[in-house]
Structure formats: C-alpha cells, structure tokens
C-alpha cells in the first residue's frame, strides 16, 4: 500500500520529493496541489478547534532564531545525535543506527557506551567495510548567520521557544491574567543524519504547538466536564498492556498527572477523530522515566497505528513545569513571571505539540481505498482537497454553460471546487474519487428545465437531487456535519 | 502616526520585535495574537481570489533549497549587496547607503564606481571617522548545510524557484496542458545588511507568489473581458506623470506588454481594494530598463502610498519570458517543456509576487483612526481579526449566561470572535474598536425576553437589533459583502 500511495502522491500531486531535477535531498518534500489543499484543511480544522474554540492566542514568529534562545533552551548543547564516519569511503552514520544494523540493541546508551560496543565488536562501515572514526556529537539544528557581522543563529527546531521568549508581552496583552494559552502553526527544522520514511521523518516539517501557561497550583480546566467521560486507550509507563479508561478516572487514579494535561489529551483525541483517524487506531502512550526530559512532570504521546510504520507518535502532550520560562529568565536576566495576587511566580506550562506532516500521512493512509473496482480517498468533507467537483453530464454546449454557472456560484461562496469537462462522466468521477473530492455535482438535462442538480457522495456513490439555489448551503452543512447526505 | 501604530502594535499584539528579551535582531518581527489573525485573513482572501477563483495549483515547498537551485537562478552569484567595513570600529555598511549619507547619489553604480567615489571623496566611517576597507560583494541569502556531510543549501530568497524546479511534475498533474498557474504562500529570506523600517524591510518575510505558465504565443486570458474596463493609475517608464487608463487601452496602446500581464495587474488591483487599500493610494509603476532584469519582457510594481514611507512596492508583476525554466533546464540537464501540438517549447511565465508583510503594513496604516475621541482600526470585515465580540450589557449573571450562549453559537459556526465581560460596556467597545473588531454583539434585558440582540457596527457605532437565530448568517453575509449594515 505504501508504494500505491507514493504512486498516487506523485501522479496527482499529494506530495513530491523536493529538488528532484537536481537529484533530490532526503528529508525534504513538497506538498503538491492536492496535498497542499489537504494540509491547509488540517491546519484550518486545528485552528478552529484550538485557537478559536479554546480561545488561544495565535502568533507567528520567524523561523530563524538567534543563538541565545537555543543556548537557554538547551538545544545548542543537548539536541545532538552521535555520528560516526567511515575513514575509507567517508560515509556518515548515526552511531546507534549503525550498531543496530549489526543486530545489537542500543536503547539509552551514552556515546561512551556506543564507542565501547564498536571497539569491542570491531564494527566496520556497512557499505565498504572500512574502519570507523571516533563518535562525535552532531547538533541537529541548521545553523546560519545573520547580517554582515555574522551573528550566529539557528532554524528553530520547534515553534515553542519563540512563544516562551515572548511571554511577558503576551501576558500583558492578555491583561496580566492566567491562564494564557498561545498557539503557533509553522515550520520547524531538524538536520537529521539520514532521514527515511517520507513524511514521517523530515528535515523541514510543520508543527502546530500550544503553550498553555497556568499558575502551578491551578492545573485544571474550567471546561473539564465537557471531556471528562471520553474513553481513551492509554498505555501507562508502568503497564505492559493498554487500558481503556475515561479521562476523569485516569486523573482520579493518578495515571495522568493532572486535569489540565488530561484535558488537552482529550481534546487531542477529539481532533484526531475530527480529521478522520478512527478511534481504534489512536492510543496515548506515557513516556517512561528514561525517555522523559528530567524537568517534565508527565508526558504522553498520541500514537496512531499505521500500516507503513506501525505505531507512530503524531502529538506529544507534556507538562513541562516551569523549566522553559526559568531557563530563558536565567539566560536573559529578565523576569518571566505572573502575579497571583500575592506573589510573582513563574507559571507552569502544558504543551500539546502536533506534527502536521505525520497527521497528514495517517489521514491519507487511513483514507486510501482500492477494492479493485474503484479507488478513492475516504476523506472527511472538512479535509477533502475539494468539497465539490462540478461537471456537465455530457459535453454539450448548454450543459457545459450551466455547469460553469454552478461552478461560479460555488466559488463565490468560497467553496473549494473545480470544473471538469474532460472525458466521460465516469472518468471524471474516478478522477475526483481518487483525490478524495467529497461531492460531485452534475448538471444534466433536467437541470436545464427546473434548476435541480445532482449531488453524488464519494463513498457511497449515491446521488440526490437538490435545487441549485440551495446547493452551496447544503454543501457547507454537509461539510460541517450539520446534515447527513442520506437525509437530504 | 508611525509611533502611534508601533505603540498599538506592542500593546495589543499586532506585531512585536523578535527576540526582544535577548536584545533583538533587526529585520525580524513576530506577529502577535491580533496581527496573526489579520495576516491569516489577508492570506485567506488571497487564496480565495487567486487559488480558488483563478483555478491555480497551490503548492507548499521547503524553505530550504539546495545550492544547485540558486546557482541556476543566478542568486548565488548576483543576489549581492556591496558592503564596506570600518577598519577601526568594525562597523559594516552597505557601500551605496554610506555614500548617500554623505549626500552623493549612487543610482546604478558598479562596485568599481562606488569604490572610486569613496577614494576620490575620502569618505570615512560615519560613527568613528575611521578608514574604510575595500568594497566586497555580500550575498543576501542565508546559507546553511544539510546533513553530516554538509551539503550546501540556502534559505529561499523567494518562493518562486521551488515552483520552477517542479514544473515537469506540475505539468503532468495538469494533464500536460497549458496554461498552468501555480501559487505558493510562504516564508522567504534576505540577509539584509541593515534593515530598518519595521515590516517593510524584513530579513524573514511572507510572500504569496504566482507563476503562470503559457505558450509564448498565448499571452492572453480567457476572462480578460471581466477586467478590461477597470481604470488604473499607471506610471509608464517613459512618463514623468501618472496616467489614468483602462486595462484594455493600456494593452492596445502598447503601454502594458500583453493581455496576460495586464490581466494580473488588474486582478492585483482588485485584490488590494478587497483588503482595504483605497484606489487613490494604488498605482502601477513600470520598471525602467535599468531596473529590469535583462530577461524580463515587462515588469510593473503595484505601489501603495504610505504616510510612513511614501510610495512603496507591495506587489511585482513581471513577464519573465522563458528565463527561469531555461536556466534550470540548463543546470539540471532536464527538459522543462510543454507540447503545443507541433513542437516542445519552453513556456513563458508571468509572475505576480505579493509581499504580505508590506500589504499588512499598508492595511493597518490605512485603517488607523484617532479623532481624539475614539480610536479604531477601520478594517474591512473580511480582514478584521475578529468578525465579532460578544458582551453582556451589564455584568449580571443572567446576561453573562446569555452572552456565553451566543458566543458558543458563533464559535460553532467558525466565526472568529471573543467574549469579554471586563469593565463597562463602553470600555469593551473601545477595546474592540482599537483592534478593528468588525461588529460588537451585546446581550441585554430584551435579549432575555425575545432572543433579539444588538449588533453594533464599528465604524459608525450604529446599532441594529436582530434575532439570535439569524445572527451567524447575518454576520457572514456582512463579512462577504452580501448585505449592508444599514439595510439590516
């Protein structure tokens, strides 16, 4: 199926390897015309669910950050991978990956431990069997320099740091009140040693992150009751097996550290469902102690079960305590505090961090259908690249003209749609289905008589007839889940 | 006024200097919570007008590009500024700017000419009067390196190049047909020597670019008639003064090189009007021969008259011929052609390139109102950060509850809005006006009785009463210009 999706992706423009005419560079992909529309929709659903409905501040920061930020955050020192070079052919490996290629487990080993294994086992370059260099630390940030006086800077490895350093301004804009929730959608960069796995491990990727600042004693949420009874599949750090438990009970039993963290875990679950991931493919895995940053109070990954890559992390939701604000306060010499009525305290922060490209992959993989007879992407209408495609039944002038009118009408209502007259109606349906167009609208001879028109639903291929006057409104209601197709 | 906007920008979060707690870095700004919403709206209006209504392909490429791309495009060699250093204090200047500080004109001078002036006039460092170094070429791209084997790369200086190198894929996805219009919204980067002027000259900025590929003999547009009669203010290269002329006549008289270029000039004019720039502040200035790249067939800048910076370029619209595809074809050894039925030809391209941050600046400056009594941003409803703010008339429990219900109702319709109970109703109106909220919705005692509610228009402060059931639909129609407030 992986190769089928890759074929579809190239042919129809979901995603394309970057710089292909120049031989490419691994870890970089372009979203093509269909992929970009789908990605925009994912981001719009996220923006609506979190920025609008959770009342967050959205900001948009530079991708470039000056060095100080990442010295403070620890990235300049600790955001490294161990690399090793072949002295003969010059090939570079991630040391732990090289060792694992020889069938030896490396989880949580230090550079010293890894070096020891390589010496002891006399490991060699995989391609040419040449002798290997010593292991070095390789920083995963892309470095660059600002201005003619060459001030050192990095491409941000996450969008989050730019939120932390703006804390005082944002706190003031929020009229010096907590909670203060801040969101950012944007690119982030990690200079991976040898990225594979298409959209799953990119050197440039899209994140949607939230930093939700609260007083340390107030890790609650006023709308907790709205999500308290949602049942989640959890894999706590101490357990072998997944458990199914309500959000409320998970907090009461001390499985999830606090209500606020649990609140965002539940909203994350809802989001993944809203973009089309089935609940049985979603679980939340708690980080084990050794995985967790030392300062993190509790941390959970939303994982999605994929065919291509088994369970993969798509969202991380962490209670990061006061670590980040404290670090930037120390480095900058500026107070980063909030006033709780009695004393100025450093807020704690809960951070849900979404990997948009991974979510995109999961959506496409989940939606892909090929039953031999018919290929289609079973995308939810809010995610479909086009909500509608508009056709004339036959390529007769009067039908083409009518279908053009309908097309213009939908465009003016800001409904993403396209018009297609090429080939037979069957071919046009097939082309629309393949990229997941939600509804096909066909003008036929009856349309010329009474202004009624057919809507065909992609998944069932069933058709209904509605009046052109109501068409735009019906499509929007179908998209927003306010009416169901079979009730038309 | 500039300082008033800067004060508002910081206090309410339109835009904020980046990395402020670390002393900042010129040429970098964050969009704060209000600015990010406005910027999103500008991009959405652009996406609707161009991607949807012009039927373009939108793509989303990496910000990083490998070196080959920019060798081919000429940026690696020619995208440079002349710099000069003080040998005493180390200060770096753009050589031409330094000379102009001494009151000497430098337009279109070579490095040799500039060096000659500095020697002849014995110019010195402006701050310390120290002796100056020789002039060097400084490349304006941010360089970085990919992977452990350090493959050279740059942050893209424009989004366009990534479209050119994808041409073959996009042409195939378009079923091997021209015209093929491709759009991209995203970040671009220029490592300016000493950027000033806030959002006007940034080192990291947002572009929205279109590459519209056609056969060289077909520089027309099938919907030219829709815009043929629009009157534009043009400043042709040969003229001293602006002329007012219809698009059609400008093409007929040979002022604009062809219909296709003229078509996008007209659509650009419409776009600027749609986001709120008044027509008298918009003109199109033709590049003079010496400004124009040697390959450009014709090139026009959309300029907006600002108080802060006089006329500034916000959009460039150029007929670039076959230069770009030819350059990438030569460098990559790949054919980048389209089949016209008889022969394979390199398409020509017309490129409208929008500077989103500059447009943002112009919109805010144009919208800013302070008559001593009342401050407000007269933003069009499609650009306003929030379409609505929802208030209770008084902070009485039953009114607060009702206003919360209305707030929830609007959010569920994806209308960007917020809820505010703090201070008097007058204070809440003032806060909403200041950031350009389009409509304020107030629940009062009559609302409790008959579910009617008041809508207050920001610009006139007039109020109308409507039923809650119709509220969302009315707001959307007001935003989309389908109904007018005074007709409610």
């Amino acid at each position: 199926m992986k190769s089928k999706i890759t074929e579809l992706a190239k042919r129809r423009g979901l995603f394309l390897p970057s710089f292909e005419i120049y031989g490419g560079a691994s870890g970089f992909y372009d979203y093509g015309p269909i992929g970009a529309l789908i990605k925009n929709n994912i981001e719009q659903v996220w923006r609506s669910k979190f920025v609008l409905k959770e009342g967050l501040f959205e900001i948009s920061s530079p991708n470039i950050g000056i060095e100080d930020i990442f010295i403070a955050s620890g990235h300049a020192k600790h955001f490294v991978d161990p690399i090793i070079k072949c002295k003969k052919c010059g090939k570079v490996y991630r040391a732990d990956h090289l060792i694992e290629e020889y069938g030896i487990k490396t989880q949580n080993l230090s550079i010293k431990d890894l070096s020891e294994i390589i010496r002891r086992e006399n490991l060699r370059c995989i391609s040419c069997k040449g002798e290997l260099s010593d292991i070095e630390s390789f920083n995963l940030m892309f470095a660059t320099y600002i201005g003619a006086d060459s001030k050192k800077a990095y491409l941000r490895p996450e969008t989050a740091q730019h939120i932390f350093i703006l804390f005082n301004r944002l706190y003031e804009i929020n009229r010096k009140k907590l909670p203060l929730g801040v969101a950012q959608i944007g690119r982030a960069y990690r200079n991976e040693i040898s990225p594979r796995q298409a959209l799953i491990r990119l050197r440039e990727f899209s994140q949607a992150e939230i930093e939700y600042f609260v007083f340390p004693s107030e890790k609650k949420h006023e709308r907790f009751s709205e999500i308290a009874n949602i049942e989640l599949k959890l894999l706590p750090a101490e357990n072998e097996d997944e458990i199914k438990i309500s959000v409320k009970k998970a907090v009461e039993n001390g499985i999830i550290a606090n209500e606020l963290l649990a609140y965002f875990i539940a909203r994350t679950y809802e989001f993944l469902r809203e973009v089309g991931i089935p609940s049985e493919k979603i679980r939340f895995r708690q980080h084990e102690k050794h995985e967790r940053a030392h300062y993190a109070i509790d941390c959970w990954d939303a994982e999605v079960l994929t065919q291509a890559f088994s369970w993969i992390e798509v969202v991380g939701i962490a209670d990061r305590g006061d670590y980040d604000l404290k670090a930037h306060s120390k480095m900058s010499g500026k107070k980063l505090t909030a006033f709780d009525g009695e004393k100025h305290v450093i807020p704690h922060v809960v951070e849900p961090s979404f990997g948009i490209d991974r979510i995109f992959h999961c959506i496409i993989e989940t939606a892909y259908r090929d039953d031999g007879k018919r290929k289609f992407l079973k995308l939810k209408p809010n995610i479909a690249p086009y909500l509608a495609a508009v056709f004339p039944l036959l390529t007769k002038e009067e039908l083409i003209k009518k279908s053009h009118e309908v097309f213009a009408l939908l465009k003016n209502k800001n409904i993403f749609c396209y018009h297609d007259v090429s080939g037979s109606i069957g071919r046009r349906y097939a082309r629309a289905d393949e990229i997941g167009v939600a509804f096909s609208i066909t003008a036929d001879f009856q349309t010329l008589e009474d202004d009624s028109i057919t809507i065909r639903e992609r998944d069932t291929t069933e058709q209904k007839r509605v009046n052109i006057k109501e068409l735009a409104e019906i499509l929007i209601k179908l998209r927003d889940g306010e009416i169901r197709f079979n009730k038309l």
Side-chain angles (χ1 to χ4, degrees), chain A residues 46 50 157-161 163-164 182-186 188 190 205-212 261 264-265 268 271-272 284 287 299-303 313-320 350-359:
Chain A
W46 193 91
F50 290 103
E158 57 184 20
T159 67
Q161 297 305 323
I163 297 177
F164 297 130
V182 186
Q184 176 152 216
I185 302 177
R190 297 187 186 186
F205 51 98
S206 290
Q207 286 189 318
E209 293 196 302
I210 297 167
E211 305 299 329
Y212 199 86
L261 192 63
F264 279 108
I265 288 173
T268 296
F271 171 77
L272 293 173
F284 290 86
H287 277 206
C299 184
W300 293 78
D301 285 347
E303 295 186 330
E313 175 199 352
V314 297
V315 188
I317 307 127
D319 181 341
R320 300 175 58 89
V350 166
E351 174 190 272
S353 172
F354 293 70
I356 298 294
D357 312 277
R358 289 184 170 199
I359 291 169

Side-chain angles (χ1 to χ4, degrees), chain A residues 28 47 76 140 172 250 267 275 280 282 329 346 402 432 443:
Chain A
F28 293 96
R47 186 171 271 133
L140 296 178
E172 272 173 37
R267 292 297 188 202
V275 295
E280 66 273 16
I282 303 170
S329 182
I346 302 178
K402 194 75 191 174

Side-chain angles (χ1 to χ4, degrees), chain A residues 374-377 429-437 456 458:
Chain A
R374 203 164 77 89
K375 287 182 199 173
F376 61 106
L377 286 185
Y429 283 149
R431 278 197 295 266
D433 289 347
E434 193 177 48
I435 56 170
V437 175
R456 170 182 172 276
R458 174 198 58 216

Side-chain angles (χ1 to χ4, degrees), chain A residues 153-172:
Chain A
Y154 294 102
L155 297 182
R156 61 185 182 192
E158 57 184 20
T159 67
Q161 297 305 323
H162 286 80
I163 297 177
F164 297 130
I165 63 174
L166 271 181
F167 176 79
N168 280 348
R169 288 278 178 206
L170 296 169
Y171 178 60
E172 272 173 37

Side-chain angles (χ1 to χ4, degrees), chain A residues 61-74:
Chain A
S61 303
N63 288 223
I64 294 175
I66 56 176
E67 189 180 21
D68 294 353
I69 301 166
F70 306 108
I71 293 174
S73 70

Side-chain angles (χ1 to χ4, degrees), chain A residues 303-360:
Chain A
E303 295 186 330
V304 173
L305 183 60
T306 63
Q307 287 196 27
F309 310 103
S310 182
W311 287 99
I312 57 165
E313 175 199 352
V314 297
V315 188
I317 307 127
D319 181 341
R320 300 175 58 89
D322 63 5
Y323 175 80
D324 306 279
L325 290 181
K326 216 176 214 168
H328 286 294
S329 182
K330 196 176 161 198
M331 179 85 185
S332 67
K334 302 278 189 300
K335 273 190 185 155
L336 301 172
T337 56
F339 186 60
D340 68 2
E342 290 177 0
K343 64 191 185 291
H344 295 275
V345 294
I346 302 178
H348 278 207
V349 71
V350 166
E351 174 190 272
S353 172
F354 293 70
I356 298 294
D357 312 277
R358 289 184 170 199
I359 291 169
F360 178 96

Side-chain angles (χ1 to χ4, degrees), chain A residues 105 270 325 365:
Chain A
K105 291 248 155 136
E270 287 180 339
L325 290 181
E365 206 203 74

Side-chain angles (χ1 to χ4, degrees), chain A residues 77-280:
Chain A
K77 196 167 179 185
H78 301 297
F79 191 54
V80 293
D81 272 348
I83 62 166
I84 193 160
K85 277 185 202 178
C86 172
K87 288 181 180 174
K88 197 170 149 202
C89 73
K91 199 167 173 191
V92 182
Y93 298 92
R94 241 182 81 169
D96 51 340
H97 288 185
L98 176 120
I99 293 170
E100 293 199 346
E101 291 265 344
Y102 282 100
I104 303 163
K105 291 248 155 136
T106 62
Q107 222 183 2
N108 309 313
L109 297 183
S110 66
I111 287 191
K112 214 180 131 197
D113 297 337
L114 295 170
S115 303
E116 173 58 28
I117 294 174
I118 286 170
R119 207 181 49 242
R120 197 180 59 215
E121 306 285 335
N122 192 25
L123 301 186
R124 295 281 177 144
C125 171
I126 290 164
S127 359
C128 82
K129 303 295 163 201
E131 202 185 327
L132 295 166
S133 72
D134 288 341
I135 297 176
E136 284 172 48
S137 277
F138 178 78
N139 195 293
L140 296 178
M141 288 192 292
F142 287 96
T144 192
Y145 294 90
I146 301 169
D149 48 351
S150 294
K151 193 180 175 67
K152 191 161 191 184
Y154 294 102
L155 297 182
R156 61 185 182 192
E158 57 184 20
T159 67
Q161 297 305 323
H162 286 80
I163 297 177
F164 297 130
I165 63 174
L166 271 181
F167 176 79
N168 280 348
R169 288 278 178 206
L170 296 169
Y171 178 60
E172 272 173 37
I173 293 164
N174 200 38
R175 289 185 257 156
K176 302 194 179 184
K177 280 189 294 198
L178 293 189
L180 163 63
V182 186
Q184 176 152 216
I185 302 177
R187 297 292 172 97
Y189 304 81
R190 297 187 186 186
N191 199 3
E192 304 278 356
I193 309 298
S194 49
R196 299 271 180 284
Q197 306 173 304
L199 300 183
I200 303 306
R201 194 165 294 277
L202 292 170
R203 281 168 163 157
E204 177 173 341
F205 51 98
S206 290
Q207 286 189 318
E209 293 196 302
I210 297 167
E211 305 299 329
Y212 199 86
F213 300 98
V214 293
F215 289 112
S217 58
E218 291 181 10
K219 290 189 183 167
K220 297 174 194 329
H221 198 286
E222 62 174 9
R223 292 193 287 137
F224 184 78
S225 64
E226 290 179 17
I227 52 83
N229 296 320
I230 291 177
E231 294 263 324
L232 298 175
K233 201 152 69 182
L234 300 184
L235 184 58
E238 276 81 50
N239 285 36
E240 285 285 311
D241 297 316
E242 291 159 7
I243 54 171
K244 193 144 190 190
I245 189 169
S246 76
V247 178
K248 192 163 180 250
K249 281 208 180 120
V251 176
E252 283 170 1
N253 299 353
I255 298 169
I256 299 174
N258 56 63
E259 274 194 7
L260 185 62
L261 192 63
Y263 179 82
F264 279 108
I265 288 173
R267 292 297 188 202
T268 296
Y269 171 79
E270 287 180 339
F271 171 77
L272 293 173
R273 299 280 296 115
E274 284 166 29
V275 295
I277 312 290
S279 64
E280 66 273 16

